[in-house]
Amino acid sequence: MAAAVRIAWQGATSAAELAFSGVSSFCWTGSRLSLSIERWPTHKPAYHCNCGTRRILPSWKTRGIFVIDAKSLRNALGNFATGVTIVTTCHDGRKIGLTANSFNSVSLDPPLVLWSLAKKSSNIDAFMNVDAFAVHILGADQEALSNQFATPGIDKFEGVDIKTGDADVPLLRDCAARFECRTAYRYDGGDHIIFVGEVLDLEQSEKEPLLFHRGRYARKTMPKTGDGTENARDLNYLVARAYFMLTDGVRTQAAEHGLSQVDHYALSVLLKGGPATMSEVNAMLGTSGWQWTDADLQRQAEVGLVQVADDGNVSLTKSGRETMIGLFAQAKAVEADAQKAFSPDELDQLRSLLSQLLETLGRQDTKGTAQHLEVMNALQADQPAQDASDS
């Protein structure tokens, strides 16, 4: 019996709940009492009648009865990752579109899909009075489009490439999938109306879908395998590939300045740390497998990027410092562009996980290879620690 009364909704109660309570389900006037949860100050289950009769249920009678809090329900449902769709229609000659993640399949034969819209939505009347709509499953690269159609008070279709379907329904291009539907059924679903559509036509692509999880956009965590992507789950491969893709443009520009990779590393050390001897520079580079030779030094001195003092210290010239700062600025620009693919929370999580990985590897380091991180710091430092003197 207790299982039958796990939830007590405001308003009329079930016979099982009334039986469980042990309290008469009728008022002295003969009217049926309804079970509800009182608001402030008691917040207790009670029976009420229109005549004013009120009976608070004793605590032992209400064990197992509770009200589902809307915020808690939303948070719990948010653990179910969904795709993101844009639903469009045309009503009285006006294009209408909105973002929704309540889309789901119903049947293959006949082909039926459903989605729901809040009764308080400004678009509810339009969808209640049309028989045609389209559902677009967005791709992972269409987050901005999703945000545009979720923003109230703007022209949702401004700047959007569309074509017109049956009944003048606007159809978006380049989505992961699109379904053109005829409204088959409408159902009352609490504070929403559930629309069931018969699929009349569809298009699909191989684009990765845009996902929504816990109130924000998400990405797939299981990349495809096969077709040359067998290493897509290998951590070494992912970290190395990300590094080389982030720095490829900088390496290309460095080469245009006559800098090899070891030159770039060595001059980055000088940019951050200031003048140093060849031995000190190579101490930083050695564990990475690189060595800056006298021939390398001589070549960079001849083109005016470095200078050697009488005490043997090597430093950047004004031209060398300007060159390295330019490369540094390009590296930061590439980094900033790559970060646009992530939300602030995702970036924080990425940095945290990478920092945790580096900390773990640092504890396991027995060969002093972590010293090479100083070179990486030199390449990615926000500002040089010390400027070399002008030539």
Side-chain angles (χ1 to χ4, degrees):
M1 181 65 72
V5 292
R6 292 297 297 171
I7 302 175
W9 299 97
Q10 281 193 330
T13 183
S14 68
E17 291 168 337
L18 289 169
F20 176 82
S21 70
V23 178
S24 172
S25 60
F26 291 90
C27 173
W28 63 274
T29 63
S31 301
R32 178 178 290 276
L33 296 170
S34 63
L35 179 65
S36 64
I37 304 299
E38 292 199 328
R39 298 188 182 275
W40 186 89
T42 65
H43 299 289
K44 293 181 178 180
Y47 283 122
H48 293 267
C49 179
N50 290 336
C51 73
T53 299
R54 168 175 170 271
R55 299 179 186 175
I56 297 291
L57 273 68
S59 60
W60 68 270
K61 298 287 189 183
T62 62
R63 187 179 301 126
I65 301 179
F66 59 89
V67 169
I68 297 295
D69 174 68
K71 183 177 180 180
S72 298
L73 180 60
R74 179 188 294 272
N75 290 340
L77 292 174
N79 286 294
F80 180 63
T82 69
V84 180
T85 70
I86 290 176
V87 185
T88 61
T89 191
C90 182
H91 180 242
D92 290 341
R94 182 169 62 96
K95 296 191 295 292
I96 295 173
L98 53 89
T99 300
N101 65 337
S102 58
F103 174 76
N104 213 329
S105 62
V106 176
S107 168
L108 296 178
D109 187 15
L112 299 175
V113 296
L114 68 77
W115 66 285
S116 63
L117 180 62
K119 292 179 179 178
K120 64 181 180 181
S121 169
S122 60
N123 296 310
I124 190 67
D125 289 339
F127 282 99
M128 292 295 290
N129 290 283
V130 297
D131 291 325
F133 62 86
V135 179
H136 308 78
I137 298 178
L138 300 186
D141 61 342
Q142 294 179 307
E143 182 177 328
L145 188 63
S146 172
N147 290 333
Q148 179 169 330
F149 275 81
T151 303
I154 66 169
D155 180 2
K156 309 291 182 66
F157 293 89
E158 182 178 359
V160 179
D161 185 16
I162 63 172
K163 65 179 183 178
T164 302
D166 292 342
D168 293 328
V169 174
L171 305 177
L172 311 183
R173 302 178 188 271
D174 299 323
C175 297
R178 183 178 66 221
F179 304 90
E180 296 181 59
C181 303
R182 176 188 65 84
T183 303
Y185 309 97
R186 298 182 183 92
Y187 297 104
D188 188 293
D191 56 4
H192 280 61
I193 296 295
I194 300 170
F195 296 89
V196 178
E198 178 185 2
V199 179
L200 303 179
D201 196 10
L202 63 85
E203 287 188 8
Q204 61 178 322
S205 71
E206 295 301 318
K207 296 181 70 171
E208 294 289 343
L210 180 63
L211 301 180
F212 198 73
H213 180 239
R214 290 187 174 179
R216 62 189 181 190
Y217 297 109
R219 293 179 176 272
K220 289 178 62 178
T221 58
M222 293 292 291
K224 291 182 179 180
T225 58
D227 299 329
T229 60
E230 291 82 359
N231 293 323
R233 296 290 292 172
D234 184 273
L235 185 59
N236 287 331
Y237 170 84
L238 292 174
V239 172
R241 184 169 176 82
Y243 167 71
F244 280 106
M245 291 182 72
L246 281 171
T247 60
D248 183 63
V250 178
R251 289 196 305 273
T252 299
Q253 186 171 344
E256 293 175 356
H257 287 283
L259 297 175
S260 67
Q261 189 165 351
V262 66
D263 291 330
H264 188 198
Y265 278 9
L267 270 60
S268 296
V269 171
L270 296 176
L271 178 67
K272 181 182 181 183
T277 65
M278 283 287 289
S279 297
E280 291 170 337
V281 172
N282 281 320
M284 297 291 294
L285 301 179
T287 53
S288 67
W290 294 100
Q291 283 288 300
W292 203 37
T293 67
D294 291 335
D296 296 325
L297 171 61
Q298 182 64 30
R299 187 177 66 256
Q300 297 309 319
E302 290 175 354
V303 297
L305 296 182
V306 299
Q307 58 191 0
V308 183
D310 293 338
D311 60 2
N313 279 328
V314 183
S315 61
L316 293 175
T317 63
K318 179 180 180 180
S319 175
R321 185 169 63 254
E322 290 176 349
T323 297
M324 293 306 299
I325 290 175
L327 293 174
F328 166 76
Q330 182 183 354
K332 299 303 287 186
V334 172
E335 178 184 324
D337 188 59
Q339 291 178 4
K340 293 178 182 178
F342 302 93
S343 69
D345 287 343
E346 288 171 334
L347 281 175
D348 287 343
Q349 185 178 17
L350 178 60
R351 293 187 184 102
S352 177
L353 291 174
L354 289 174
S355 296
Q356 183 178 346
L357 174 63
L358 291 173
E359 182 180 348
T360 300
L361 295 176
R363 289 196 299 265
Q364 298 173 356
D365 179 27
T366 59
K367 299 180 179 180
T369 53
Q371 185 182 17
H372 181 51
L373 292 176
E374 294 300 321
V375 178
M376 298 297 101
N377 288 339
L379 287 168
Q380 294 295 326
D382 288 337
Q383 292 183 353
Q386 179 180 346
D387 285 340
S389 59
D390 293 349
S391 56

